[in-house]
Amino acid sequence: MRKNIVAGNWKMNKTLQEGVALATELNEILASKKVNCDVIIGTPFIHLASVCASVDSAKLGVAAENCADHVSGAYTGEVSAAMVKSTGAQYVILGHSERRAYYGETPAILKTKVELALANGLTPIFCIGEVLAEREANKQFEVVEAQIKESLFDLSVEDFSKIILAYEPVWAIGTGKTATAAQAQEIHAYIRSVLAAKYGKKVADNCSILYGGSCKASNAGELFANPDVDGGLIGGAALNAKDFMGIVDAF
Ligand code: 13P
């Protein structure tokens, strides 16, 4: 059956020293207690190698927040999937709404990034979600369906089975406005039905679908109690150990 996962996305926060300190603190906490989900932290590129060297990867997974849409070469400032993999990271967050909105990442670019991540042995945490105007027009279902189809539905069953999805309604990210448990369950169930129609019920049932958007310790329990919500992708509340572990402990 699918895994429950709590993943942090640090975004553009923390110096290298601050990041290593937080990763080390989380690693120590996780070494001394049993938790009921996989725990992952997504860090800036420059933190990855040091963070990976500081944690037990069996207890605390490490994700990049992006990777390039090219294999290698003259792409100044970019970081390839192979480079991410060489740090020891196991995951890469792709398709975050901030990347889509601020850096022009199209479904076609994201399709390439997903394929390169998989080719390099990284597990993509693929983000989807509608903006407020789309939610208000009740278009959230068609929006997420298109995002999934355009970037993921050329994958083989074998490759698709490696994907983790994160539904993040853009209107809930960093706003303090969380989707209700019922809204999350409704769209997660819809997403699973879209996966089932393409790849079959077994693959859909095995796919972890995380919720993201102002998820914190105080609402995580209610969100994670839904049958189709398999954990969270956490921004602000992933920036300190107490808040983040409060969410992990919701499982
Ligand atoms: P917040 O938890 O800060 O709303 O961010 C969610 C997010 O974007 C995680 O990727």
Side-chain angles (χ1 to χ4, degrees):
M1 263 315 268
R2 58 185 177 260
K3 288 178 176 170
N4 290 327
I5 300 168
V6 172
N9 174 10
W10 291 358
K11 308 193 179 182
M12 195 176 75
N13 291 293
K14 299 199 177 289
T15 63
L16 176 60
Q17 290 75 18
E18 290 165 350
V20 170
L22 175 54
T24 305
E25 188 181 357
L26 290 169
N27 189 59
E28 275 166 16
I29 296 169
L30 290 166
S32 63
K33 71 186 279 186
K34 192 188 162 316
V35 294
N36 297 314
C37 61
D38 285 6
V39 185
I40 300 168
I41 47 176
T43 85
F45 289 131
I46 64 140
H47 299 52
L48 290 172
S50 306
V51 163
C52 287
S54 310
V55 305
D56 173 359
S57 62
K59 297 217 158 180
L60 183 57
V62 178
E65 299 174 14
N66 183 26
C67 70
D69 58 340
H70 294 279
V71 173
S72 65
Y75 302 100
T76 302
E78 287 294 292
V79 175
S80 71
M83 292 174 192
V84 169
K85 179 71 178 176
S86 73
T87 66
Q90 309 102 306
Y91 302 88
V92 58
I93 299 168
L94 291 173
H96 193 282
S97 61
E98 289 149 17
R99 300 289 323 168
R100 293 178 192 260
Y102 308 150
Y103 301 97
E105 296 198 356
T106 62
I109 290 171
L110 292 170
K111 179 175 187 291
T112 303
K113 291 189 176 197
V114 166
E115 289 163 2
L116 287 169
L118 288 167
N120 284 281
L122 293 167
T123 298
I125 302 173
F126 190 78
C127 305
I128 53 176
E130 80 285 357
V131 300
L132 183 60
E134 291 161 343
R135 168 66 64 165
E136 285 173 348
N138 203 33
K139 292 206 160 121
Q140 63 272 22
F141 301 105
E142 58 192 90
V143 168
V144 297
E145 184 165 356
Q147 288 170 333
I148 293 169
K149 282 188 173 160
E150 288 168 17
S151 298
L152 302 178
F153 272 10
D154 281 343
L155 294 175
S156 66
V157 180
E158 194 195 344
D159 274 344
F160 184 84
S161 303
K162 298 171 187 156
I163 302 279
I164 297 166
L165 286 178
Y167 167 68
E168 300 204 306
V170 181
W171 46 271
I173 294 177
T175 58
K177 208 170 154 187
T178 318
T180 64
Q183 282 173 324
Q185 170 55 26
E186 180 186 41
I187 196 153
H188 281 227
Y190 181 77
I191 291 165
R192 207 176 300 285
S193 76
V194 169
L195 307 186
K198 168 75 180 172
Y199 289 106
K201 187 171 182 315
K202 188 160 165 253
V203 170
D205 280 345
N206 282 331
C207 181
S208 297
I209 308 177
L210 316 184
Y211 168 81
S214 298
C215 184
K216 39 190 184 280
S218 59
N219 58 27
E222 199 189 343
L223 287 160
F224 299 170
N226 289 290
D228 288 295
V229 179
D230 307 311
L233 183 57
I234 318 299
L239 295 176
N240 74 73
K242 184 168 173 285
D243 290 349
F244 190 57
M245 286 309 300
I247 298 171
V248 170
D249 290 339
F251 275 117

